[in-house]
């Protein structure tokens, strides 16, 4: 007899422990330690480090610390396997990815339990969220492999990808990295996080079990040094990193000038905005899903609640009631809502930050949590934007609550952050929701929802939350490159500028070229001009721009943000008009080009190409639109292309007109404002061009032109925190310089050695330019009545 | 966190006593209603997708196993309104149902779970008005109240005076609980004042009998309507709000229940009255019995796991509960023919 009557009065849940015996047996079988997975097989166990279960502190495995020799071996294997893998038909690769998806489903519970033991997340989450999304990701990308040739014509795999992933969603982040890479024909060297390497190693066993060709997937375990060896390896063509903004910066710096492609998915401090007309109970549950999901160790966690003053007391009361119902404890208990923090180091970091916030006046509301590597769900009220709890990504179950008065107030507070990963908006008014969506700086926006993911939608941030997207069509683009175009010869670096007096010029009537800033012609702050040489003798003087002129130009460009809100049709009209006015003065521009030594035919062809390009980008201005992704039922998932903001552009020296037009037009067609440094040696075409801009209804500040020393001006632009992206066409050293200088605000960079791309050819225009000029905002709108 | 040392201490005293049943005096005041106050629900937002997400996570976030599961299932039995509402109901049919209500679990099973000699009945027996008399006779001495549907159940489209007369008839026949249906037409037209007046008149007609207001949520369609109609029913004096007649196209669902429970929570916060909740229609499995109890525990707390504040409207769920409890006892999966039919 089992007497149940003592249980009747309280009707507690009791415990519902997940049986972990199969996983424990597997761990036991690997007691000697794990090697790396290289070239289709596990290497002998090397020098190891311990992996612990954060909930208990028990050591559960020993994993090999990857050395640079290990990394060499892994990259060599990936390199060797890549051509053959890329040459397989899409269908063949699809079959492999499909097999991975199937095997993940077949081993779903094993992987869930292992993930929970390794990471500390509740079994409910690994079982219901992480692992199903992993399988979904491989299914989705099996599809991309199948239809790759049809959907991405003239695109090739990038090559060998070095991927470094974090500890918060160990297997899910692995899937986000590996699935698109393999689908596109790349091979991979991946390093799982030091705290949580076990599901990656289990996945390697699954890959072997599925017969994935050897060398296609290589997993090297280790710490930050191992990661640095991978991303810095000379035979890696693409680096993909998910993790902290701090490490993202280090990687950007480390591989600057290497020519490696880079995508970064970094930190966040995402706003969670609750308007007065929201379903408050729904919003409260949203907070649970936002910040008490995965112990708040979620890059896109809604960690800053902004709530309308009118409903703040009621919302706060409901939230506290809900918070009190959360169960913190054993991650393997099916009744646990909040599990263990991944590692004592992280738990200490959370404690320190919260302490600092409390010292600064924040009021904490917490529930009980067990001793050990746990942190209680925490609501911090009385948090102002000046507080450390507002600024810093805590990466723990800590949410701040701040009130706002008006819609404008809400937006100002929401965007008052260096990050821009996600936002969650709660209101029953669709007008209000979409208005806020358009204004919030975030790569992912959830309306009346939060933390919803699907392989078909892109994920990634604005600002210092990184660049590049994972998932969907936009994610595939990060693992593809244009099929090999003939690469031209690098231009020589332009000679040093001469700003002394004494050189005669040849014009009949002297013409004064100025800078063009904020819609006005402006003299350079330096007060100097430099000599512009012709084929035989100097042909004129150009203003010698300096960092102060860049400062002024960026300020003017930042003020021109209305351009990004104009309709595509409006922008198209302006671009057509530029083409019309350029056409009217075609002869004059051809003459100018000839004055630099171009022959008549070449000069006329360049002007003609420039006019066509005006029309092409005018045509695209209202057509380069987004998509509606097929994600979940009763859900509209919009992918909208948004301008980046201010783009700095350093133009190539050759093709002084076409190089300028080809880079500036796609940027402004998509709504950005530009600060352009035209051809250093032949700047007078660009200074002529501002007369075209003036007569073509281009609003002030949309195009700014600063002539002068390209390298110096580019550096100022690349360092400028208001500049969202930097395009640089110059020397190899300059490419490295720009990438290094970009780390301040982690701006997107596009660097090329000038001359390698022929701007007169079809390679000088295209959708790729437009894609470079935009970032995708994925907007999730559930519906139903 | 909620499972701690406290449990052992408090349950020792209560070890041989099933907690409060409908026989015991109510520890709280009966809902007196209040004047119609539209501001308590006008403009109250209920987001369908978000409500569905929460409803779905209720049962994935919580799990009740083994002895706890058996205890929760026994508790569910205490809260069942064992129901027959069929055109072919007869006196004998009702007597059989009543016999089951009085002994919902076989003595052997009760003994096996430590409940030998303890009172265990369903919360009530629920029948049509003309069957009330038979039920009252059959249940004499059991302490089980008889509930009657009334007011032109299930459509509620007979004239108001007849609907009120039907209530009075059922009460006179001996019903202690009346399950009324609201006029969906008035709710769909948002004619809240007329709806309020009708329900208030029904409450008056009920007299001492407790009134459960059936909203027929499947016909109200939107969750906002469900919330508003819940509020009007409570303001007009409903003791319980109930989802469905069991005859609509869509019966009790967790999202609708969540919305109604939040309404009664909000009404309670405003007025201080505790209102009961009764999901009904289509609830057949032991698993569902657990799901709704989780909902009540998470949203409201332990008090709403008693029959004075929660009922299941169900006819066939009891059979599945019996099978599950037998499985708990024997470790073997059970079959329906091993348990007394209702």
């Amino acid at each position: 007899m089992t007497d149940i009557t003592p249980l009747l009065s309280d009707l507690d849940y009791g415990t519902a422990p997940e049986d972990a015996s199969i996983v424990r047996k597997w761990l036991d079988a690997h007691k000697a330690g794990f090697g790396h997975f290289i070239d289709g097989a596990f290497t002998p166990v090397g020098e190891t480090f311990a992996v612990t279960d954060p909930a208990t502190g028990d050591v559960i495995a020993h994993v090999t610390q990857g050395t640079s020799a290990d990394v060499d071996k892994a990259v060599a294997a990936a390199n060797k396997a890549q051509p053959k893998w890329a040459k397989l038909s899409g269908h063949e690769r699809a079959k492999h990815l499909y097999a991975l998806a199937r095997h993940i489903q077949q081993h779903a519970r094993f992987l869930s339990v292992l993930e929970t033991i390794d990471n500390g997340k509740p079994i409910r989450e690994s079982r219901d969220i992480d692992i199903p999304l992993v399988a979904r990701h491989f299914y989705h990308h099996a599809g991309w492999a199948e239809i790759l040739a049809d959907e991405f014509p003239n695109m090739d795999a990038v090559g060998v990808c070095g991927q470094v992933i974090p500890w918060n969603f160990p297997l899910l982040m692995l899937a986000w990295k590996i699935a698109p890479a393999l689908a596109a024909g790349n091979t991979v060297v991946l390093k799982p996080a030091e705290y949580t390497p076990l599901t990656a190693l289990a996945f390697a066993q699954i890959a072997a079990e599925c017969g994935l060709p050897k060398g296609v997937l290589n997993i090297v375990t280790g710490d930050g040094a191992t990661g640095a060896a991978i991303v810095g390896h000379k035979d890696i063509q693409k680096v993909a990193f998910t993790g902290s903004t701090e490490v993202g910066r280090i990687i950007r710096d480390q591989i600057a000038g290497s020519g490696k492609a880079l995508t970064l998915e970094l930190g966040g401090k995402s706003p969670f905005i609750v308007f007065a007309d929201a379903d408050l109970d729904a919003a409260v549950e949203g907070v649970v899903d936002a910040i008490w999901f995965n112990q708040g160790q979620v890059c896109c966690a809604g960690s800053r609640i902004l709530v309308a003053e009118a409903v703040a007391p009621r919302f706060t009361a409901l939230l506290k009631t809900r918070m009190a119902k959360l169960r913190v404890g054993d991650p393997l208990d099916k009744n646990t809502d909040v599990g263990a923090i991944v590692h004592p180091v992280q738990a200490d970091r959370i404690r320190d930050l919260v302490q600092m916030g409390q010292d600064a006046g924040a009021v904490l509301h917490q529930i009980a949590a067990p001793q050990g590597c746990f942190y209680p769900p925490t609501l911090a009220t009385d948090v102002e934007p000046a507080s450390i709890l507002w600024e810093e990504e805590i990466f723990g179950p800590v949410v701040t609550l701040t009130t706002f008065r008006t819609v404008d107030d809400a937006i100002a507070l929401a965007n008052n952050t260096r990050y821009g990963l996600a936002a969650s908006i709660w209101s029953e008014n669709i007008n209000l929701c979409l208005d806020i969506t358009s204004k919030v700086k975030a790569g992912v926006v959830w309306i009346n929802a939060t933390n919803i993911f699907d392989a078909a939608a892109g994920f990634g941030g604005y600002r210092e939350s990184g660049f590049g997207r994972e998932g969907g069509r936009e994610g595939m683009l990060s693992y593809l490159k244009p099929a090999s175009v003939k690469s031209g010869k690098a231009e020589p670096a332009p000679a040093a500028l001469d700003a002394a007096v004494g050189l005669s010029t040849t014009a009949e009537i002297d013409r004064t070229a100025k800078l063009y800033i904020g819609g006005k012609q402006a003299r350079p702050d330096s007060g100097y001009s430099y000599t512009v040489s012709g084929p035989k003798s100097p042909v004129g003087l150009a203003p010698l721009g300096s960092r102060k002129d860049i400062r002024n130009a960026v300020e003017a460009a930042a003020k021109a943000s209305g351009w990004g809100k104009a309709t595509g049709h409006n922008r198209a009209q302006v671009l057509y008009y530029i083409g019309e006015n350029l056409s009217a003065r075609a002869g004059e521009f051809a003459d100018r080009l000839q004055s630099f030594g171009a022959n008549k035919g070449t000069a006329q062809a360049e002007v003609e190409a420039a006019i066509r390009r005006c029309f092409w980008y005018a045509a695209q201005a209202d057509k380069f639109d987004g998509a509606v992704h097929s994600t979940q039922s009763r859900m509209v998932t919009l992918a909208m292309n948004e301008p980046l903001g201010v783009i700095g552009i350093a133009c190539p020296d050759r093709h002084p007109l076409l190089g300028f037009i080809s880079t500036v037009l796609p940027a402004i067609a998509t709504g950005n404002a530009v600060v352009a440094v035209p051809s250093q040696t032949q700047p007078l075409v660009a200074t002529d061009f501002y007369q075209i801009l003036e007569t073509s209804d281009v609003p002030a500040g949309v195009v700014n032109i600063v002539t002068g020393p390209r390298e110096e001006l580019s550096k100022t632009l690349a360092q400028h925190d208001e500049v969202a992206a930097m395009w640089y066409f110059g020397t190899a050293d300059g490419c490295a310089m720009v990438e290094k200088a970009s780390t301040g605000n982690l701006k997107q960079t596009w660097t090329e050695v000038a001359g390698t791309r022929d701007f007169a050819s079809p390679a000088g225009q295209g959708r790729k330019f437009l894609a470079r000029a935009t970032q995708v905002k994925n907007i999730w709108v559930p519906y139903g009545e | 966190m909620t499972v701690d040392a406290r449990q052992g201490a408090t349950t020792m005293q209560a070890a041989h006593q099933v907690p409060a049943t409908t026989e015991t005096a109510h520890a709280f005041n009966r809902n007196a209603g209040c004047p119609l106050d539209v501001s308590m629900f006008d403009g109250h937002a209920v987001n369908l997708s978000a409500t569905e997400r929460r409803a779905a996570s209720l049962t994935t976030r919580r799990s009740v196993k083994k002895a706890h599961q058996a205890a929760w299932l026994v508790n569910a039995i205490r809260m069942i309104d064992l129901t027959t509402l069929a055109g072919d109901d007869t006196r004998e049919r009702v007597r059989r149902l009543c016999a089951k209500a009085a002994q919902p679990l076989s003595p052997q099973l009760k003994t096996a779970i430590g409940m030998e000699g303890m009172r265990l009945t369903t919360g009530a027996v629920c029948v049509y008005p003309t069957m009330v008399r038979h039920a009252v006779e059959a249940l004499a001495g059991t302490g089980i109240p008889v509930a009657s549907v009334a007011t032109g159940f299930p459509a509620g489209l007979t004239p108001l005076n007849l609907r009120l007369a039907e209530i009075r008839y059922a009460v006179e026949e001996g019903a202690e609980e009346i399950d009324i249906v609201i006029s969906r037409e008035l709710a769909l037209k948002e004619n809240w004042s007329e709806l309020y007046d009708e329900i208030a008149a029904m409450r008056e007609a009920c007299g001492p009998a407790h009134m459960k207001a059936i909203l027929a949520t499947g016909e109200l369609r939107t969750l906002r309507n469900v919330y508003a109609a819940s509020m009007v029913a409570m303001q007009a004096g409903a003791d319980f709000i109930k989802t469905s007649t069991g005859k609509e196209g869509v019966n009790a669902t967790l999202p609708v229940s969540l919305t109604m429970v939040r309404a009664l929570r909000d009404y309670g916060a405003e007025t201080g009255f505790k209102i009961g909740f009764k999901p009904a229609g289509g609830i057949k499995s032991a698993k569902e019995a657990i799901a709704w109890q989780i909902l009540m525990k998470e949203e409201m707390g332990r008090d709403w796991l008693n029959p004075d504040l929660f009922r299941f409207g169900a006819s066939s769920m009891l059979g599945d509960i019996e099978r599950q409890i037998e499985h708990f006892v024997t470790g073997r999966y059970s079959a329906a023919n091993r348990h007394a039919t209702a």
Side-chain angles (χ1 to χ4, degrees):
Chain A
M1 185 190 90
T2 309
D3 185 1
I4 64 154
T5 55
L7 305 174
L8 281 170
S9 53
D10 280 0
L11 287 177
D12 281 325
Y13 293 112
T15 57
E18 175 73 33
D19 180 3
S21 56
I22 293 174
V23 170
R24 303 245 184 245
K25 220 171 118 189
W26 180 80
L27 288 169
D28 208 42
H30 291 88
K31 223 163 32 188
F34 289 91
H36 309 298
F37 184 71
I38 294 175
D39 207 16
F42 278 87
T43 62
V45 180
E47 198 174 308
T48 63
F49 57 92
V51 178
T52 55
D53 173 346
T56 60
D58 297 342
V59 172
I60 49 173
H62 294 275
V63 165
T64 300
Q65 166 64 29
T67 62
S68 54
D70 295 332
V71 171
D72 284 343
K73 260 190 264 169
V75 174
N79 218 349
K80 190 165 154 237
Q82 200 270 330
K84 203 172 157 199
W85 177 247
K87 246 177 83 181
L88 288 181
S89 69
H91 178 60
E92 288 300 321
R93 281 202 305 279
K95 283 198 287 188
H96 283 295
L97 286 160
Y98 176 73
L100 287 171
R102 277 298 199 196
H103 280 239
I104 284 159
Q105 284 185 320
Q106 285 153 11
H107 297 303
R109 195 53 69 94
F110 181 94
L111 292 168
S112 304
V113 172
L114 181 59
E115 195 78 304
T116 284
I117 291 175
D118 196 7
N119 167 279
K121 66 175 66 201
I123 185 71
R124 177 190 76 90
E125 292 179 7
S126 50
R127 177 198 67 199
D128 294 350
I129 300 169
D130 290 52
I131 305 307
L133 280 171
V134 170
R136 162 85 181 120
H137 223 76
F138 278 100
Y139 272 111
H140 181 78
H141 286 89
W144 280 126
E146 181 72 39
I147 60 178
L148 192 79
D150 300 321
E151 295 294 318
F152 298 99
N154 304 315
M155 301 285 264
D156 284 343
V158 180
V160 179
C161 302
Q163 305 178 320
V164 177
I165 57 170
W167 43 255
N168 58 344
F169 295 93
L171 194 64
L172 184 56
M173 291 300 103
L174 173 147
W176 282 23
K177 294 281 178 288
I178 287 181
L182 298 194
N186 304 279
T187 54
V188 162
V189 177
L190 176 136
K191 186 191 85 71
E194 196 181 350
Y195 295 158
T196 56
L198 298 180
T199 43
L201 294 166
F203 179 82
Q205 292 187 349
I206 289 173
E209 166 185 308
C210 296
L212 190 72
K214 61 181 194 172
V216 168
L217 168 70
N218 302 277
I219 291 181
V220 180
T221 52
D223 58 11
T226 313
I230 293 171
V231 303
H233 198 284
K234 65 175 174 37
D235 291 331
I236 294 274
Q237 280 86 41
K238 160 153 183 109
V239 173
F241 172 75
T242 296
S244 71
T245 294
E246 188 192 348
V247 174
R249 243 187 212 110
I250 293 169
I251 291 175
R252 170 69 289 179
D253 185 70
Q254 184 194 352
I255 66 170
S258 66
K260 293 176 169 54
L262 175 65
T263 45
L264 296 173
E265 204 272 271
L266 307 175
K269 193 75 186 175
S270 298
F272 186 101
I273 314 170
V274 183
F275 288 97
D277 67 345
D279 176 347
L280 295 185
D281 279 305
V284 162
E285 199 58 35
V287 173
V288 174
D289 291 334
I291 197 71
W292 296 318
F293 166 53
N294 204 26
Q295 296 70 248
Q297 303 165 136
V298 184
C299 52
C300 54
S303 51
R304 290 183 297 141
I305 299 171
L306 307 173
V307 59
E309 272 185 26
V311 294
R314 179 163 163 71
F315 178 80
T316 310
L318 285 169
L319 182 57
K320 285 182 192 167
T321 305
R322 178 70 184 92
M323 184 167 85
K325 292 277 185 182
L326 294 172
R327 295 165 63 100
V328 189
D330 179 5
L332 280 171
D333 185 343
K334 293 168 196 163
N335 283 322
T336 291
D337 293 308
V338 178
I341 300 297
V342 70
H343 194 273
V345 169
Q346 180 63 14
D348 286 344
R349 180 187 143 81
I350 297 168
R351 285 188 195 104
D352 289 350
L353 281 167
V354 171
Q355 186 60 52
M356 281 190 264
Q358 205 175 6
D359 294 345
V363 177
L364 302 186
H365 313 270
Q366 296 182 318
I367 63 169
Q371 292 294 305
C373 198
F374 293 87
Y375 196 84
T378 302
L379 167 67
T381 55
D382 301 76
V383 174
E384 308 301 335
S387 166
I388 190 158
L389 294 183
W390 173 284
E391 282 177 47
E392 284 288 321
E393 182 178 41
I394 299 169
F395 231 60
V398 181
V399 68
T400 66
L401 186 142
T402 306
T403 61
F404 64 83
R405 299 156 298 161
T406 61
V407 171
D408 292 345
D409 206 16
I411 271 296
L413 288 167
N415 286 336
N416 185 224
T417 170
R418 286 175 292 141
Y419 297 109
L421 190 47
S424 180
I425 301 167
W426 298 80
S427 162
E428 289 299 296
N429 179 345
I430 189 73
N431 303 299
L432 176 59
C433 290
L434 294 181
D435 185 44
I436 300 296
T437 298
S438 73
K439 289 173 180 159
V440 73
K441 301 281 183 208
V444 185
V445 179
W446 292 291
I447 292 175
N448 291 318
T450 197
N451 279 345
I452 296 181
F453 310 99
D454 189 86
F459 182 92
Y462 283 23
R463 296 178 166 173
E464 290 175 41
S465 292
F467 44 79
R469 294 290 177 266
E470 297 185 295
R473 180 179 289 273
E474 56 255 47
M476 284 300 292
L477 287 172
S478 299
Y479 287 94
L480 292 163
K481 63 172 190 204
S484 48
V485 219
K486 213 170 67 192
S487 182
K489 228 180 92 195
E491 289 176 4
L497 297 179
D498 187 352
V501 296
L503 296 163
S504 65
T505 58
T506 52
E508 266 181 40
I509 297 180
D510 201 67
R511 283 176 64 176
T512 306
K514 290 190 184 171
L515 308 179
Y516 187 63
I517 293 174
K520 292 195 177 70
Q521 301 177 23
R523 292 182 192 286
D525 180 84
S526 70
Y528 285 99
S529 297
Y530 70 94
T531 307
V532 178
S533 309
K536 297 190 185 82
S537 58
V539 292
L541 293 169
L544 187 72
S546 68
R547 56 186 285 119
K548 292 206 172 144
D549 300 308
I550 292 290
R551 176 199 64 191
N552 296 344
V554 171
E555 204 173 309
K559 280 190 192 141
S561 58
W563 177 248
K565 298 183 189 95
T567 64
H569 173 63
N570 281 347
R571 289 198 295 267
Q573 280 180 293
V574 170
L575 264 67
Y576 280 125
Y577 203 19
I578 292 174
E580 176 189 328
N581 287 324
L582 181 59
S583 172
R585 295 168 68 167
E588 184 193 321
F589 274 87
D591 288 349
R592 180 64 96 179
L593 290 170
Q594 279 179 264
S595 77
F596 296 126
N599 69 43
K600 195 171 175 188
T602 319
Q604 281 173 343
E606 181 162 347
V607 176
E608 189 50 41
I611 294 166
R612 276 205 306 276
R613 222 148 261 185
C614 290
F615 268 59
W616 199 84
Y617 284 111
Q620 287 284 9
D622 62 353
K623 293 175 192 64
F624 187 70
D625 44 20
V628 181
H629 289 311
S630 180
T631 56
Q632 301 183 351
S633 63
R634 266 193 20 232
M635 178 77 78
V636 176
T637 310
L638 298 165
M640 280 175 71
N641 294 325
E642 290 197 341
L644 300 169
V646 179
I647 301 182
I649 300 176
C651 302
D653 220 33
R654 216 178 292 151
H655 293 304
L657 177 62
L658 208 48
F660 176 84
I661 289 277
S662 305
T663 50
V664 170
L665 288 187
I668 65 171
T670 44
N672 299 281
V674 160
V675 177
V677 179
S679 166
Q680 179 179 319
T681 58
Q682 304 167 36
L684 299 179
V685 191
T687 54
D688 290 346
F689 196 78
Y690 59 62
Q691 293 185 352
I692 303 266
L693 297 173
E694 281 174 334
T695 53
S696 305
D697 298 338
V698 179
V702 171
V703 179
N704 304 276
I705 300 168
V706 180
T707 58
R710 182 180 64 199
E711 308 313 299
E712 194 184 315
L713 299 176
S714 298
K715 187 168 186 184
T716 306
L717 275 169
Q719 287 174 334
H720 200 304
D721 286 341
E722 185 67 47
V723 175
M726 180 68 200
W727 297 357
Y728 173 88
F729 299 86
T731 62
D733 286 349
C735 291
M737 175 274 290
V738 163
E739 287 179 353
K740 260 190 195 306
S742 72
T743 53
N745 66 344
L746 280 168
K747 60 175 63 65
Q748 305 189 19
T749 57
W750 179 12
T751 60
E752 274 185 22
V753 174
T756 51
R757 179 188 297 269
D758 179 5
F759 276 98
S761 77
Q765 80 177 22
R767 286 179 70 86
K768 185 87 184 165
F769 286 72
L770 296 161
R772 288 275 192 185
T774 49
Q775 52 196 343
V776 185
K777 180 182 269 180
N778 272 274
I779 304 159
W780 297 72
V781 193
Y783 59 89
E785 172 64 50
Chain B
M1 193 184 51
T2 54
V3 185
D4 56 20
R6 268 188 307 110
Q7 183 186 307
T10 50
T11 50
M12 286 310 284
Q13 293 169 314
H16 291 289
Q17 189 186 348
V18 177
T21 68
T22 46
E23 294 170 296
T24 59
H26 288 273
F28 51 87
N29 293 328
R30 192 177 173 192
N31 179 26
C34 66
L36 176 67
D37 181 357
V38 176
S39 74
M40 280 171 70
F41 55 85
D42 193 33
H44 182 94
V46 188
N47 186 283
L48 177 66
S49 297
T51 309
E52 287 176 345
R53 275 199 303 277
R54 172 56 177 147
S57 81
L58 277 166
T59 49
T60 57
R61 282 182 183 274
R62 296 290 178 265
S63 176
V64 193
K65 298 291 177 205
K66 303 202 165 115
H68 283 90
Q69 187 182 67
W72 282 57
L73 291 175
V74 165
N75 194 58
I77 293 173
R78 298 171 52 231
M79 304 193 292
I80 292 175
D81 280 359
L82 198 63
T83 302
T84 183
L85 292 169
D88 58 358
D89 282 347
T90 61
R91 176 171 177 272
E92 293 311 309
R93 160 75 185 128
V94 169
R95 286 177 63 85
R96 202 162 74 201
L97 191 77
C98 291
K100 187 69 184 173
Q103 188 181 293
L105 214 52
S106 75
Q108 298 92 311
L109 278 184
K110 276 176 76 177
T111 303
I113 56 175
M115 292 189 71
E116 187 177 11
M118 289 172 66
R119 182 172 185 277
L120 177 64
T121 69
T122 66
V125 165
C126 183
V127 294
Y128 271 118
T130 52
M131 296 289 139
V132 169
R133 181 188 299 260
H134 308 314
V136 170
E137 280 171 17
L139 292 172
T142 63
I144 302 171
V146 175
S148 172
V149 297
T151 71
F153 182 93
L157 288 173
T158 52
L160 180 61
N161 60 335
L162 298 185
R163 282 181 274 154
L164 296 174
E166 192 186 3
I167 293 174
R168 284 190 287 266
Y169 168 82
V171 174
E172 280 161 19
E173 291 288 290
E176 293 177 60
E177 302 176 2
I178 303 292
D179 289 22
I180 61 115
V181 292
I182 69 160
S183 296
R184 277 76 103 185
E185 182 191 13
L186 297 177
L188 291 171
K189 283 175 157 171
E190 301 185 15
N191 187 347
W192 305 122
S193 65
E194 200 177 334
L195 182 65
Y196 175 92
D197 290 345
E198 272 197 14
I199 301 172
M202 291 174 183
R203 163 69 197 267
E204 200 189 339
C206 283
H210 275 222
M211 183 172 83
K212 307 190 197 108
I214 303 174
L215 306 183
T217 55
E219 291 173 356
L220 299 182
R221 304 306 303 180
T222 74
L223 294 180
R224 280 179 284 105
N225 274 349
V226 167
Y227 186 91
S230 299
M231 236 2 140
V232 172
M234 291 183 286
Q235 290 176 352
D239 297 292
F240 264 70
I241 49 176
K242 175 177 169 185
T243 59
S244 325
T245 63
K247 315 287 185 189
E248 290 89 49
V250 182
N251 292 305
T253 66
L254 284 174
V256 158
S257 301
L258 195 55
T259 305
M260 291 174 70
V261 168
R262 285 169 174 171
L264 70 84
R265 173 202 65 192
D266 294 347
Y267 179 80
E270 195 79 15
T271 64
F273 291 120
K274 287 183 164 180
I275 306 295
F277 176 63
K278 178 177 173 185
I283 304 178
K284 292 185 178 359
S285 70
K287 201 173 160 187
E288 289 167 296
I290 302 281
W292 259 279
Q293 290 187 85
I294 289 173
L295 187 156
M296 299 317 292
K297 190 172 165 77
E298 289 294 303
E299 288 288 315
M300 301 304 297
R302 174 67 181 85
D303 283 357
W304 270 261
L305 294 179
N306 284 330
D308 52 3
L309 286 174
F310 185 84
R311 297 288 178 82
F312 285 110
S315 46
S316 59
M317 182 173 79
L318 179 56
D320 194 38
I321 290 178
E322 288 175 275
R323 283 196 297 276
Q324 299 312 318
I325 292 176
E326 187 174 26
H327 172 246
F328 167 71
V329 168
T330 65
R332 302 191 315 274
Y333 290 106
S334 180
N337 66 314
R338 296 167 59 86
H339 301 277
T341 185

